[in-house]
Amino acid sequence: MKRHWWKETIVYQIYPRSFQDSNGDGIGDLRGIISRIDYIASLGIETLWLCPIFKSPNDDNGYDVSDYRDIMEDFGSMEDFDELLIELKKRNLKIILDLVPNHSSDEHFWFKESKKSKDNPYRDYYYWKKPKSNGDPPTNWISYFAPSTWEFDDNTGEYYLHLFSKKQPDLNWENPKVRQEIYDIMHFWMGKGIHGFRLDVLPFISKDLSFPDKTEDNFDGNFGRFYANGPRLHEFIQEMNNEVISKYDMMTVGEGPGITPEQALDYVGENRKELHTIYHFDHMDIDRDPYDYYGYKKYSLIEFKQIVTDWDRLVDMGGWNTAFLGNHDFPRIVSRFGNDKTYRKQAAKLLCMFLMTQRGTPYIYFGDEIGMTNVPWEELGKYRDLWVFDGFEKHLKKGGKKEDFLKNLKHTSRDNARTPMQWNNKKNGGFSEGVPWIDLNPNYENVNVENAENAKDSILHFYRKMISVRKGNKTLIYGNYLDLEPLDENLFIYSRKDDSHTFLICLNFSDHCITYQSDMLNQRSDVILCNYGMRNSVSTGKIEFEPWHCLLIKISRS
Ligand code: NOJ
């Protein structure tokens, strides 16, 4: 297997709006990030991913770009960005930016022109379609953030396509000029000295141009089948590779909703000349009702492990994987996959061990390194995400009750992971001197960076140790992965192994104490890291698991 820096790097993702405010307007910004750069470097991570920082009216917090070559005013200026680049370089940190190639803002110059008339030179930058003969939208698709994916324009009497909000019109990738615009933008930022891109909803850039309606027969709750993985997708990505990606030593990570490991190989296979990496949604959908985004369902550890194992196959097939458990689109990981009450600390450490021992590039979402949790909000008015409000309308239309919706939000809303970083127990958790754009999680008084720095056994210190263990052991990066107990409902036990070393990763994903016997363990088994102190001896082959106990064990050859 070929070694690459983007396989070995560890990514730290920041939602800039919520990381650190420097000017008291209640919104995180670039100067805020600069002021926290030593903290970021102290984690041991090597690459920073910033959610979109481009000029935007913020209908979807930056995922609606009105100028791809300028910085969002809320976040600062291009000078601030240049300074950030300098400060990152001083610390040997790389940075990837979040590019949104599938749609722009309706306030982008291209769209404003496109709307003007049917013969405007920018008309074909977007998908415009005539109404059906009865005046209905061209298809009956439901948008993520709106009742329909089509919005009617009185001026020209046509509908335009928007898979997300009506302020996020889809760019028409069939038009070579659109593709060239995006490649030029990529060159612009690479020329500034960044190291790559995260590419938003990449499978959506090629559509099925027959625009089929959804019917009872062809719909399984997933609109992806209509508007993802279209016929020209790989042609477009190969072109992007040829025009941009192949010209730099860079990293790309595609967001890949709805893809299988086999499909992922088409994006990231070594010989495909497309992307470096992509991340999938299988474990993100595990507790979701496919017909109701805000409905959630229970899942089993067995299902979770199966997904991890299925996706590890991507590496055997000649691709590379990503390891993540959450980001700005999902709830906090310790609340979702761990226990955010009695065993918050233990569970957060266990999830860290899981991430750092996977065969794939690991992603840490800001705040997870101190065990930030979902919010306990009881009022809709606390939420800020446009998806919540559209979801609420859809829920009511289906006859759902407000209290059920509110209850589900606590488990599913994206805002759970968008509350400000908790730096200390002072005003607004040290995030801002002004009124934060979204409330802090009230637990900031206890759960914060300052407390974590001061406590020897904190989640934060555990992250630092685990990160350095991964960086120091190529076996944990490239070694083979094997799930040893796929049918155990509580334990996730797997090995990472190469010609030089064997590691055993033992994770108790439950609130119970469990005794486990393994014939892999012997006199030469050393516990490298554990979240219950180092009192465990495993040389007898027996592990007495405490709740959410995790152990990283190195087994030396005889
Ligand atoms: C995926 C992004 O991660 C999400 O935050 C955004 O709302 C949609 N794409 C639309 O751009």
Side-chain angles (χ1 to χ4, degrees), residues 125 211 298 300 308 351 378 383 393 397 417 445 490 511:
Y125 269 46
F211 291 100
K298 286 226 169 332
S300 73
V308 173
L351 296 174
E378 302 292 346
Y383 290 86
E393 275 174 34
K397 234 186 215 158
E445 294 195 359
N490 300 305
D511 291 354

Side-chain angles (χ1 to χ4, degrees), residues 12 23 29 34 93 102 137 146 184 251 262 278 305 315 317 332 360 379 389 392 409 414 522 541 547:
Y12 185 69
N23 61 359
D29 47 42
I34 295 172
L93 294 175
N102 177 68
D184 289 349
M251 164 176 185
E262 285 72 20
I278 192 156
K305 293 191 287 192
V315 183
M317 292 189 288
R332 282 287 172 187
E379 303 140 54
F389 300 103
F392 184 49
L409 283 184
R414 308 197 290 185
N522 54 37

Side-chain angles (χ1 to χ4, degrees), residues 143-162:
S143 148
Y144 282 96
F145 304 156
S148 162
T149 55
W150 299 95
E151 182 70 13
F152 189 67
D153 171 48
D154 287 326
N155 180 33
T156 55
E158 289 188 335
Y159 282 91
Y160 66 85
L161 177 70
H162 61 90

Side-chain angles (χ1 to χ4, degrees), residues 13 15 49 51-52 60-64 98 100 102-103 144-145 164-165 168 198 200-201 204 255 257 279 281 327-330 385-387 414 418:
Q13 183 197 349
Y15 198 63
W49 154 18
C51 285
D60 185 20
N61 288 354
Y63 285 93
D64 46 322
D98 203 324
V100 190
N102 177 68
H103 45 270
Y144 282 96
F145 304 156
F164 295 91
S165 93
Q168 294 169 292
R198 177 259 188 191
D200 192 62
V201 290
F204 293 5
E255 187 194 25
Y279 68 86
F281 278 53
N327 60 35
H328 63 291
D329 287 333
F330 299 100
D385 184 8
L386 79 170
W387 203 346
R414 308 197 290 185
R418 294 179 176 188

Side-chain angles (χ1 to χ4, degrees), residues 164-425:
F164 295 91
S165 93
K166 65 177 182 195
K167 286 185 68 60
Q168 294 169 292
D170 276 56
L171 283 161
N172 176 10
W173 272 67
E174 302 293 323
N175 181 346
K177 286 194 200 139
V178 168
R179 307 204 294 273
Q180 204 50 58
E181 298 270 14
I182 299 289
Y183 307 150
D184 289 349
I185 290 162
M186 293 172 85
H187 281 302
F188 172 82
W189 288 102
M190 288 307 294
K192 278 195 153 288
I194 69 161
H195 304 87
F197 297 98
R198 177 259 188 191
L199 295 152
D200 192 62
V201 290
L202 204 61
F204 293 5
I205 60 174
S206 166
K207 274 99 177 156
D208 176 349
L209 297 179
S210 71
F211 291 100
D213 261 336
K214 89 171 163 80
T215 64
E216 274 195 11
D217 295 338
N218 69 10
F219 190 59
D220 59 358
N222 177 7
F223 273 97
R225 65 181 302 143
F226 303 115
Y227 45 60
N229 285 309
R232 295 187 70 192
L233 179 70
H234 292 288
E235 178 196 330
F236 294 159
I237 305 177
Q238 278 165 16
E239 187 182 75
M240 180 191 281
N241 182 294
N242 187 38
E243 295 273 336
V244 187
I245 300 174
S246 60
K247 308 240 190 293
Y248 302 93
D249 176 20
M250 65 187 289
M251 164 176 185
T252 47
V253 49
E255 187 194 25
I259 53 166
T260 63
E262 285 72 20
Q263 285 169 328
L265 190 62
D266 291 341
Y267 292 80
V268 301
E270 289 269 1
N271 51 4
R272 292 280 303 175
K273 297 202 170 23
E274 295 197 16
L275 303 180
H276 303 96
T277 57
I278 192 156
Y279 68 86
H280 69 91
F281 278 53
D282 284 358
H283 57 325
M284 294 296 109
D285 293 338
I286 196 168
D287 56 357
R288 294 287 160 93
D289 173 348
Y291 289 90
D292 172 11
Y293 183 79
Y294 282 109
Y296 86 107
K297 61 178 171 82
K298 286 226 169 332
Y299 69 93
S300 73
L301 182 70
I302 296 177
E303 287 171 72
F304 178 84
K305 293 191 287 192
Q306 186 62 54
I307 291 172
V308 173
T309 302
D310 282 350
W311 276 88
D312 181 74
R313 277 191 304 128
L314 177 58
V315 183
D316 291 328
M317 292 189 288
W320 188 246
N321 211 350
T322 52
F324 85 105
L325 287 170
N327 60 35
H328 63 291
D329 287 333
F330 299 100
R332 282 287 172 187
I333 67 174
V334 72
S335 303
R336 190 177 192 189
F337 296 109
N339 175 324
D340 63 5
K341 307 222 159 42
T342 327
Y343 300 110
R344 185 184 65 87
K345 273 194 180 177
Q346 292 85 342
K349 291 177 187 177
L350 174 145
L351 296 174
C352 167
M353 186 176 283
F354 167 79
L355 287 172
M356 294 304 142
T357 53
Q358 287 296 300
R359 190 161 63 151
T361 308
Y363 286 72
I364 301 168
Y365 182 62
F366 87 94
D368 285 342
E369 76 277 19
I370 55 167
M372 281 174 63
T373 64
N374 284 356
V375 288
W377 298 337
E378 302 292 346
E379 303 140 54
L380 206 54
K382 295 258 187 202
Y383 290 86
R384 296 286 174 268
D385 184 8
L386 79 170
W387 203 346
V388 167
F389 300 103
D390 177 63
F392 184 49
E393 275 174 34
K394 286 174 178 155
H395 178 80
L396 292 184
K397 234 186 215 158
K398 280 203 291 192
K401 290 200 198 113
K402 182 171 179 181
E403 53 275 26
D404 293 337
F405 187 75
L406 274 171
K407 207 166 96 203
N408 282 351
L409 283 184
K410 288 191 198 166
H411 300 277
T412 53
S413 168
R414 308 197 290 185
D415 281 339
N416 282 302
R418 294 179 176 188
T419 59
M421 181 64 166
Q422 300 168 192
W423 294 105
N424 53 44
N425 60 12

